Structures are given as structure tokens and as C-alpha cells.
Amino acid sequence: MNFSAVVVTLAIMRLDSHVHILPEYRTAGLIRWMRRAFPDHPITPDYTWRDVVGDLREAGVERFFAFHFPLRPSETGFLNKFSLRVASRVRGMVPFLSFHVENSHPGDLVAWWIGEKRAFWGVKLPPFVQGFDPWDERLYPAYEWLEEHGYPIFLHTGFDELYGKSMPPEKVLGILRRFPRLMLVVIHMFYPRFKEAFAFLEEGERVYLDATNVFSYVDMDWPPGTRKSLDLDWFREEIERWSHRIMFGSDHPAGAGTLQDVYDILDVWNFSPKTRARLEGETALELLEVLGYPL
């Protein structure tokens, strides 16, 4: 890839829809976990959220979705407040709430932080690392509130082999059938079960896909055999067809390489200019408009 192509890619990335903003001890743990799975991962455990923001600024990114997640119920309040403190200092950071399934009254928690405080713009939940199923009935009050008030839930899916766990798409589909107006963002597109992911988009206009890490890991053929088992022409056509409902983020600092590596992967796939623009932020910006975020 030539240098001029890289410059163009970085210059037009308008919104990164998947970034981790965590305190130092949690960033270090996240990177150590990544390096156990991928020893050559270029980010070091001493990386801080300031380094993450610095990389985004250097790449020309003006806005980004900021995610965090508690590993214990007692960590929920601290991390939510930490996220808001950073957001108050960082222009263009769009913070998303998280909580632990074992926190009491998750519906009240969501109603307070998003409804009363108007501090967050949706919820991020990572079932694998928190050790719960997203169809756990303890989460229903939170889903009910989000459905009623029109805020999204960003749900980590896919990469079952990496986590050694399973999240059948048909079980997640049951959530949408129970809460049909719920705005759901399917993070990682059930990687590599892409047919099921695209089928979710048929459930209604309030369902989105997050293609974070998807293009990179298909390109590197992880796990081995993924590329051979995937009809790449069909996959590219589906991305083009649904790009108005697909977002793309870096997962920085835990993405598939450096921030530049992750953004550059869009050059490899050679999407149409229209799709490229949607992946680089237009779809995410349209979602923010729906939410009433002040752009």
C-alpha cells in the first residue's frame, strides 16, 4: 500500500465507532489479555487513555464512541464516573454507559444515568468477559427502558473461539423478538457467522451492525480457514447493500494492530466511495442524529 493512500484513509475517518477508554490498570489488563492471544500485538501494557486519544487525534478523528465495562459489580460506579470525567476533558468523545449483570436494579441504573443525568448515549455490554448471557432476565428492565426511550445497546458478539464461549445468534434474536423496538448494535457481527448477522438487519431499521475487527481478521484468515469458508464476493456485496446500517471502529487500543493498521484495512477491501464514507463515520453520525446528540 502506498503512503498517499494511507494519508487519504486517515484524513477522512470522521467517527470511530468503537474505542476503549479505561483507567490505566484496566488498559494494562486488556493489553496483557490481547498479547496472550496475539503475542505480536503492537500496543504495550503501559498505554494510557491519553495515548489512545492522541492516536485518534493524529489520525484526524474528531469524534469517537467511548466504551468501558466493569469486570465486577463494584467497579460499575467508578468506571461510569471515570468515563464522564474523561469526556468532560476530551472534545468529541461520546460516552456509553456500562454495568454488570449482578448490579441490582439495572433498569433504574440506566434510567438514572441516561434518563435523569443525560450523561450517556446508550449502553455497552460484553457478555463473554462479564460471564453472563444477554438473554438473562435480570437485564430485561434495562432493555425495556432502552426500548421505550429509544437508546441503543451495543452488544459484544462473535469471536467465540477466542473467548472459549458461545453466544448462538438465535438466542440473541429472541431478545429482539421480545423487545421489537429495541435499538441493537451487533458488535463484531457474530464473527465469523456473518449470514446470521446480516439476517438481523431484516428485523427492522433499529438494528445495526458494528464491523469492528471484522475486515482485519478475515483478511488475516483468523482463525485459519475463515477466508476459504467465506464467499468474499457475497460478503462484500452485503456490506455494500447494508452500509447505511453498518458502523466501523478500531477497538483501539485492542484492535487488530496499530490504529493506522486498522484504518488501512479499508483500502484492502476496495469498497465503493459511498460505502467507504458510511463506514468511516456517516452511519454512526446518522445514529447520533437519531439520538439527538448535538453535532
Side-chain angles (χ1 to χ4, degrees):
M1 186 180 304
N2 61 53
F3 180 76
S4 61
V6 173
V7 171
V8 171
T9 301
L10 295 179
I12 63 177
M13 189 74 186
R14 299 176 62 190
L15 191 157
D16 188 319
S17 65
H18 195 126
V19 175
H20 292 282
I21 296 296
L22 296 162
E24 292 181 11
Y25 78 97
R26 284 293 310 279
T27 301
L30 177 62
I31 299 305
R32 285 194 294 267
W33 180 84
M34 279 295 297
R35 286 189 153 198
R36 284 195 293 270
F38 304 98
D40 295 330
H41 193 274
I43 306 299
T44 56
D46 59 351
Y47 232 63
T48 71
W49 67 263
R50 293 177 180 84
D51 295 317
V52 173
V53 173
D55 289 344
L56 292 166
R57 295 297 188 237
E58 185 176 351
V61 178
E62 295 185 355
R63 291 189 177 93
F64 61 95
F65 290 176
F67 296 136
H68 62 276
F69 51 93
L71 297 178
R72 305 178 302 277
S74 59
E75 203 178 25
T76 295
F78 166 72
L79 287 180
N80 286 330
K81 293 175 183 176
F82 168 82
S83 179
L84 293 183
R85 285 197 301 271
V86 176
S88 70
R89 300 167 57 182
V90 176
R91 173 180 48 82
M93 172 176 158
V94 184
F96 286 83
L97 180 75
S98 193
F99 58 86
H100 197 282
V101 68
E102 294 180 9
N103 287 130
S104 59
H105 308 296
D108 293 342
L109 189 153
V110 170
W112 167 251
W113 282 109
I114 300 179
E116 295 294 327
K117 299 286 287 184
R118 299 191 180 276
F120 296 96
W121 295 92
V123 173
K124 157 72 183 297
L125 290 180
F128 285 161
V129 298
Q130 288 184 333
F132 72 92
D133 294 321
W135 47 88
D136 190 315
E137 292 187 5
R138 290 175 292 178
L139 299 170
Y140 284 4
Y143 295 159
E144 289 171 358
W145 191 94
L146 293 167
E147 180 185 42
E148 179 181 355
H149 293 86
Y151 285 92
I153 177 168
F154 286 70
L155 183 67
H156 174 103
T157 70
F159 290 99
D160 294 21
E161 183 170 329
L162 178 62
Y163 291 92
K165 299 179 182 179
S166 176
M167 188 190 303
E170 59 271 20
K171 295 284 285 186
V172 179
L173 185 59
I175 299 172
L176 280 181
R177 298 287 167 79
R178 186 179 183 93
F179 304 98
R181 293 182 296 108
L182 181 66
M183 186 180 294
L184 174 67
V185 182
V186 181
I187 294 176
H188 305 312
M189 296 175 58
F190 289 112
Y191 187 98
R193 300 177 67 170
F194 300 127
K195 289 184 178 180
E196 289 92 336
F198 288 120
F200 264 62
L201 295 175
E202 303 283 1
E203 294 295 314
E205 295 183 356
R206 299 174 71 81
V207 180
Y208 294 79
L209 302 181
D210 172 316
T212 296
N213 284 336
V214 167
F215 306 131
S216 296
Y217 280 88
V218 169
D219 187 64
M220 71 174 70
D221 193 32
W222 190 93
T226 297
R227 284 178 62 90
K228 184 177 181 179
S229 64
L230 179 63
D231 183 335
L232 294 177
D233 290 335
W234 167 84
F235 180 72
R236 186 179 288 104
E237 289 170 2
E238 288 295 281
I239 294 292
E240 296 277 355
R241 174 190 176 196
W242 293 105
S243 61
H244 62 295
R245 303 258 295 283
I246 301 176
M247 292 176 278
F248 172 74
S250 63
D251 211 16
H252 199 48
T258 67
L259 187 64
Q260 180 172 317
D261 292 335
V262 174
Y263 291 165
D264 287 352
I265 199 64
L266 293 181
D267 289 318
V268 174
W269 284 82
N270 195 32
F271 294 119
S272 69
K274 187 175 184 179
T275 290
R276 178 78 174 248
R278 286 171 169 168
L279 293 173
E280 289 172 334
E282 284 187 4
T283 299
L285 286 168
E286 289 171 2
L287 173 61
L288 289 182
E289 287 187 80
V290 170
L291 297 178
Y293 182 87
L295 296 174

